Amino acid sequence: MPCQIDQKPRLALIEDDPIMGESLTHLLSLEGFDVSWYKSGKEARDALRAHRFCVAVCDIRLPDIEGGDLFLALAAERSDLPPFLFLTAYGTIDRAVELIKAGAADYLTKPFEVEALLHRVRELAESYGIVHEQTDDTLGISPAMQRIAEQLPRLARHAEALLITGESGCGKEYVARRFHHHAVGSEGAFVAVNCAAIPESLIEAELFGYEKGAFTGATRTKKGLFERADGGTLFLDEIGEMPLAMQAKLLRVLQDHRFTRLGGEKPLTSRFRLVCATHRDLKAMVEAGTFREDLYYRIHVIHLRIPPLRERPEDIRWFLRRFIAEFNQQHPDVRKRIDPRAEAALLAYSWPGNIRELKHAVERACILALGPTLTIDAFFDNAGNAPESAEVGATISASLAEYLMACERDYLLRALEQNQGHITRTAAALGITRKTLWEKLKKLECSQEKQNGYPTAT
């Protein structure tokens, strides 16, 4: 079972050095972890068999059992082993790499930077399934989505209409539901309809409802979406697909808050918040005569644009780990963790299907992966193609190894660029040490010749 939000996340520290162990225990405790310190491999093995931990920080060299052997033995016994972060000296880096391939989460070389350790431990704890209290309210951790999250409560207090634009699958309906939650909470209904999914001949009946006998097949009276949304929120997804004739009728309802069911004579009243969403350019449609200008200005009072996932890479990792955590909560007997090399490849992918594509890719990988570790093979098919057979941002090389190296090289250089070439900040952002970053740059043949001020690949 994952750690619960009503208790401190439990962390197993496996370190025989008394000075290092005491220092890390104090440091990690200050960060909010419930640290259990074990000075031998046998002691740690018994504890990990008996108790649940969110992370295990383990030295490779232990007095009785080699740290790697401890991990491999436990991994063979159970699928819900917490992520292992190994602490290794330079001479045992090869062993650490072997353990990563076997399913360990990551390693740090001694001496390591404190911030790098804390950053990586926090990430691993979250990936294992710590669910923070604000998770349901979180739209993402990128600055763009944080700004939208901050705006929604204020908009919900005052706005009667909201227009959300963005590519398909980027989270428009989720933002609409958060707006509804802030506006009316559980007291009103959230009524959603995809205008592109309803045939033109039926959309009026769906919106207005109808009386029994109004037309052939109307064997009973049915409330329409306007009526059902009274006191709540009506979400019209893909509003750009609504026929022009229906747009005029919608505008009248928005102005008067009155309508009549098909076949009925009694006017009905409904007051609701309206949220419209579309992936199309409504302004261009107005100019082309395919969308009513008066309706456009009626629904365009407040406009939120949801950036595609490729414009907010911080959210790719966040959603990736959130979806894995959700799978692990639903299937605690087959807990999954992602291989860092697979994560790097997924971060380099452009995700044209946005969050929806990412979620389907994670579900597919969790189902197809034979072991607890989600490797690159679980996400990519035998031809080396990315999820949904879309093209990966990096060029697919002749071999999978070459492709993975290209992904890692591209990711490291992008990280350097985002941190203005500052090695220490880049290493901290990646959760590795400066030494590890330099080693990776050298291994991946990233020259230190400057182009636009940043290192470039040779």
Side-chain angles (χ1 to χ4, degrees), residues 11-26:
L11 181 146
L13 173 63
I14 310 165
E15 173 61 67
D16 64 312
D17 184 278
I19 297 177
M20 176 71 76
E22 183 176 355
S23 175
L24 289 179
T25 299
H26 178 68

PDB file of all heavy atoms in Angstrom, residues 11-26:
ATOM      1  N   LEU A  11      10.536   6.312   5.137  1.00  0.00           N
ATOM      2  CA  LEU A  11      11.732   6.134   4.312  1.00  0.00           C
ATOM      3  C   LEU A  11      12.696   5.197   5.023  1.00  0.00           C
ATOM      4  O   LEU A  11      12.941   5.343   6.227  1.00  0.00           O
ATOM      5  CB  LEU A  11      12.388   7.491   4.056  1.00  0.00           C
ATOM      6  CG  LEU A  11      13.646   7.510   3.183  1.00  0.00           C
ATOM      7  CD1 LEU A  11      13.694   8.791   2.350  1.00  0.00           C
ATOM      8  CD2 LEU A  11      14.916   7.401   4.033  1.00  0.00           C
ATOM      9  N   ALA A  12      13.218   4.235   4.278  1.00  0.00           N
ATOM     10  CA  ALA A  12      14.221   3.309   4.817  1.00  0.00           C
ATOM     11  C   ALA A  12      15.604   3.787   4.403  1.00  0.00           C
ATOM     12  O   ALA A  12      15.898   3.887   3.207  1.00  0.00           O
ATOM     13  CB  ALA A  12      13.968   1.894   4.300  1.00  0.00           C
ATOM     14  N   LEU A  13      16.445   4.095   5.377  1.00  0.00           N
ATOM     15  CA  LEU A  13      17.831   4.482   5.124  1.00  0.00           C
ATOM     16  C   LEU A  13      18.720   3.304   5.503  1.00  0.00           C
ATOM     17  O   LEU A  13      18.713   2.853   6.661  1.00  0.00           O
ATOM     18  CB  LEU A  13      18.201   5.723   5.946  1.00  0.00           C
ATOM     19  CG  LEU A  13      19.675   6.142   5.895  1.00  0.00           C
ATOM     20  CD1 LEU A  13      20.078   6.521   4.478  1.00  0.00           C
ATOM     21  CD2 LEU A  13      19.940   7.288   6.869  1.00  0.00           C
ATOM     22  N   ILE A  14      19.482   2.810   4.541  1.00  0.00           N
ATOM     23  CA  ILE A  14      20.343   1.643   4.756  1.00  0.00           C
ATOM     24  C   ILE A  14      21.780   2.108   4.578  1.00  0.00           C
ATOM     25  O   ILE A  14      22.275   2.260   3.462  1.00  0.00           O
ATOM     26  CB  ILE A  14      19.991   0.518   3.763  1.00  0.00           C
ATOM     27  CG1 ILE A  14      18.478   0.256   3.776  1.00  0.00           C
ATOM     28  CG2 ILE A  14      20.763  -0.751   4.096  1.00  0.00           C
ATOM     29  CD1 ILE A  14      17.981  -0.560   2.607  1.00  0.00           C
ATOM     30  N   GLU A  15      22.439   2.367   5.676  1.00  0.00           N
ATOM     31  CA  GLU A  15      23.776   2.972   5.662  1.00  0.00           C
ATOM     32  C   GLU A  15      24.530   2.550   6.913  1.00  0.00           C
ATOM     33  O   GLU A  15      24.049   2.743   8.028  1.00  0.00           O
ATOM     34  CB  GLU A  15      23.644   4.504   5.608  1.00  0.00           C
ATOM     35  CG  GLU A  15      24.919   5.273   5.763  1.00  0.00           C
ATOM     36  CD  GLU A  15      25.923   4.966   4.663  1.00  0.00           C
ATOM     37  OE1 GLU A  15      25.653   5.320   3.494  1.00  0.00           O
ATOM     38  OE2 GLU A  15      26.966   4.361   4.998  1.00  0.00           O
ATOM     39  N   ASP A  16      25.715   1.948   6.730  1.00  0.00           N
ATOM     40  CA  ASP A  16      26.479   1.461   7.880  1.00  0.00           C
ATOM     41  C   ASP A  16      27.394   2.519   8.472  1.00  0.00           C
ATOM     42  O   ASP A  16      27.821   2.397   9.627  1.00  0.00           O
ATOM     43  CB  ASP A  16      27.304   0.227   7.486  1.00  0.00           C
ATOM     44  CG  ASP A  16      28.357   0.547   6.434  1.00  0.00           C
ATOM     45  OD1 ASP A  16      27.994   1.206   5.440  1.00  0.00           O
ATOM     46  OD2 ASP A  16      29.518   0.158   6.606  1.00  0.00           O
ATOM     47  N   ASP A  17      27.703   3.572   7.729  1.00  0.00           N
ATOM     48  CA  ASP A  17      28.586   4.615   8.245  1.00  0.00           C
ATOM     49  C   ASP A  17      27.827   5.449   9.275  1.00  0.00           C
ATOM     50  O   ASP A  17      26.808   6.069   8.945  1.00  0.00           O
ATOM     51  CB  ASP A  17      29.072   5.507   7.103  1.00  0.00           C
ATOM     52  CG  ASP A  17      30.064   6.550   7.573  1.00  0.00           C
ATOM     53  OD1 ASP A  17      29.611   7.591   8.094  1.00  0.00           O
ATOM     54  OD2 ASP A  17      31.279   6.318   7.432  1.00  0.00           O
ATOM     55  N   PRO A  18      28.303   5.509  10.529  1.00  0.00           N
ATOM     56  CA  PRO A  18      27.545   6.204  11.585  1.00  0.00           C
ATOM     57  C   PRO A  18      27.412   7.699  11.346  1.00  0.00           C
ATOM     58  O   PRO A  18      26.366   8.296  11.637  1.00  0.00           O
ATOM     59  CB  PRO A  18      28.343   5.908  12.862  1.00  0.00           C
ATOM     60  CG  PRO A  18      29.712   5.551  12.387  1.00  0.00           C
ATOM     61  CD  PRO A  18      29.540   4.897  11.056  1.00  0.00           C
ATOM     62  N   ILE A  19      28.449   8.323  10.801  1.00  0.00           N
ATOM     63  CA  ILE A  19      28.377   9.767  10.566  1.00  0.00           C
ATOM     64  C   ILE A  19      27.419  10.077   9.423  1.00  0.00           C
ATOM     65  O   ILE A  19      26.548  10.949   9.536  1.00  0.00           O
ATOM     66  CB  ILE A  19      29.794  10.332  10.262  1.00  0.00           C
ATOM     67  CG1 ILE A  19      30.703  10.130  11.476  1.00  0.00           C
ATOM     68  CG2 ILE A  19      29.706  11.804   9.878  1.00  0.00           C
ATOM     69  CD1 ILE A  19      32.135  10.585  11.242  1.00  0.00           C
ATOM     70  N   MET A  20      27.572   9.361   8.317  1.00  0.00           N
ATOM     71  CA  MET A  20      26.682   9.556   7.175  1.00  0.00           C
ATOM     72  C   MET A  20      25.243   9.217   7.541  1.00  0.00           C
ATOM     73  O   MET A  20      24.305   9.946   7.191  1.00  0.00           O
ATOM     74  CB  MET A  20      27.139   8.681   5.996  1.00  0.00           C
ATOM     75  CG  MET A  20      26.214   8.740   4.781  1.00  0.00           C
ATOM     76  SD  MET A  20      26.272  10.303   3.915  1.00  0.00           S
ATOM     77  CE  MET A  20      27.849  10.124   3.050  1.00  0.00           C
ATOM     78  N   GLY A  21      25.053   8.121   8.253  1.00  0.00           N
ATOM     79  CA  GLY A  21      23.708   7.706   8.622  1.00  0.00           C
ATOM     80  C   GLY A  21      23.011   8.717   9.514  1.00  0.00           C
ATOM     81  O   GLY A  21      21.830   9.046   9.302  1.00  0.00           O
ATOM     82  N   GLU A  22      23.727   9.211  10.525  1.00  0.00           N
ATOM     83  CA  GLU A  22      23.130  10.194  11.434  1.00  0.00           C
ATOM     84  C   GLU A  22      22.802  11.488  10.693  1.00  0.00           C
ATOM     85  O   GLU A  22      21.745  12.094  10.906  1.00  0.00           O
ATOM     86  CB  GLU A  22      24.082  10.467  12.593  1.00  0.00           C
ATOM     87  CG  GLU A  22      23.513  11.420  13.635  1.00  0.00           C
ATOM     88  CD  GLU A  22      24.432  11.596  14.830  1.00  0.00           C
ATOM     89  OE1 GLU A  22      25.475  10.896  14.881  1.00  0.00           O
ATOM     90  OE2 GLU A  22      24.111  12.423  15.704  1.00  0.00           O
ATOM     91  N   SER A  23      23.701  11.909   9.811  1.00  0.00           N
ATOM     92  CA  SER A  23      23.491  13.145   9.060  1.00  0.00           C
ATOM     93  C   SER A  23      22.275  13.041   8.136  1.00  0.00           C
ATOM     94  O   SER A  23      21.431  13.941   8.088  1.00  0.00           O
ATOM     95  CB  SER A  23      24.751  13.471   8.248  1.00  0.00           C
ATOM     96  OG  SER A  23      24.529  14.600   7.431  1.00  0.00           O
ATOM     97  N   LEU A  24      22.179  11.923   7.410  1.00  0.00           N
ATOM     98  CA  LEU A  24      21.054  11.747   6.486  1.00  0.00           C
ATOM     99  C   LEU A  24      19.742  11.582   7.243  1.00  0.00           C
ATOM    100  O   LEU A  24      18.691  12.065   6.783  1.00  0.00           O
ATOM    101  CB  LEU A  24      21.307  10.541   5.581  1.00  0.00           C
ATOM    102  CG  LEU A  24      22.401  10.708   4.523  1.00  0.00           C
ATOM    103  CD1 LEU A  24      22.559   9.416   3.723  1.00  0.00           C
ATOM    104  CD2 LEU A  24      22.081  11.866   3.587  1.00  0.00           C
ATOM    105  N   THR A  25      19.764  10.912   8.362  1.00  0.00           N
ATOM    106  CA  THR A  25      18.547  10.755   9.166  1.00  0.00           C
ATOM    107  C   THR A  25      18.013  12.111   9.598  1.00  0.00           C
ATOM    108  O   THR A  25      16.816  12.400   9.492  1.00  0.00           O
ATOM    109  CB  THR A  25      18.815   9.881  10.400  1.00  0.00           C
ATOM    110  OG1 THR A  25      19.227   8.578   9.983  1.00  0.00           O
ATOM    111  CG2 THR A  25      17.566   9.755  11.259  1.00  0.00           C
ATOM    112  N   HIS A  26      18.905  12.959  10.078  1.00  0.00           N
ATOM    113  CA  HIS A  26      18.510  14.297  10.519  1.00  0.00           C
ATOM    114  C   HIS A  26      17.994  15.121   9.336  1.00  0.00           C
ATOM    115  O   HIS A  26      16.941  15.774   9.430  1.00  0.00           O
ATOM    116  CB  HIS A  26      19.710  14.990  11.166  1.00  0.00           C
ATOM    117  CG  HIS A  26      19.423  16.400  11.613  1.00  0.00           C
ATOM    118  ND1 HIS A  26      18.570  16.690  12.652  1.00  0.00           N
ATOM    119  CD2 HIS A  26      19.866  17.597  11.138  1.00  0.00           C
ATOM    120  CE1 HIS A  26      18.491  18.002  12.811  1.00  0.00           C
ATOM    121  NE2 HIS A  26      19.279  18.572  11.901  1.00  0.00           N
TER     122      HIS A  26
END
